[in-house]
Amino acid sequence: MKWIKLSDELPPFNKEIVLLSERGFTRLTFRKTKEATDKFQALLRYACKRIANIDNPSPMYNEMGLPVPNKAEYKWKYWCLLPDKPNQ
C-alpha cells in the first residue's frame, strides 16, 4: 500500500480509501462527489430540523468530498487506496 500526500494528489471518487491524520489517526471512508455531499447534507439538515429543531448542522464532508476530521484527528495529511474487493 502506498501513502500519498493530500496536497500532491486527491483520492478518486467512490473508492474505498484510508485517511491518515497529522496526529496518527486513521479512518476508512470514501471520497464523495459534490452532488452526493450536497444531497447528504440536505437529508441531514431535514432530519435535524424535524428531530431537534436545529436549522444548520455542521457539515459532514468538506469541499474536497472528504469527511471533516474531528478534533482528535485534526487534519488529514495522507491517503491510501485500498484494493477492490473480489466479486462474491
Side-chain angles (χ1 to χ4, degrees), residues 33-74:
T33 62
K34 178 76 172 138
E35 294 81 25
T37 58
D38 289 347
K39 183 177 179 181
F40 179 79
Q41 193 65 27
L43 289 171
L44 181 64
R45 190 177 302 115
Y46 176 73
C48 287
K49 181 70 175 168
R50 282 191 67 149
I51 296 168
N53 201 23
I54 297 172
D55 288 326
N56 199 11
S58 299
M60 299 293 289
Y61 291 89
N62 63 19
E63 65 281 347
M64 294 184 295
L66 298 172
V68 174
N70 62 32
K71 288 182 181 182
E73 293 162 337
Y74 180 62

Side-chain angles (χ1 to χ4, degrees), residues 10-52:
L10 289 174
F13 289 106
N14 302 320
K15 294 281 189 175
E16 198 169 31
I17 59 171
V18 176
L19 292 171
L20 176 65
S21 74
E22 285 184 344
R23 297 181 178 170
F25 290 91
T26 59
R27 188 187 300 185
L28 180 65
T29 190
F30 295 87
R31 180 176 177 212
K32 297 192 179 208
T33 62
K34 178 76 172 138
E35 294 81 25
T37 58
D38 289 347
K39 183 177 179 181
F40 179 79
Q41 193 65 27
L43 289 171
L44 181 64
R45 190 177 302 115
Y46 176 73
C48 287
K49 181 70 175 168
R50 282 191 67 149
I51 296 168

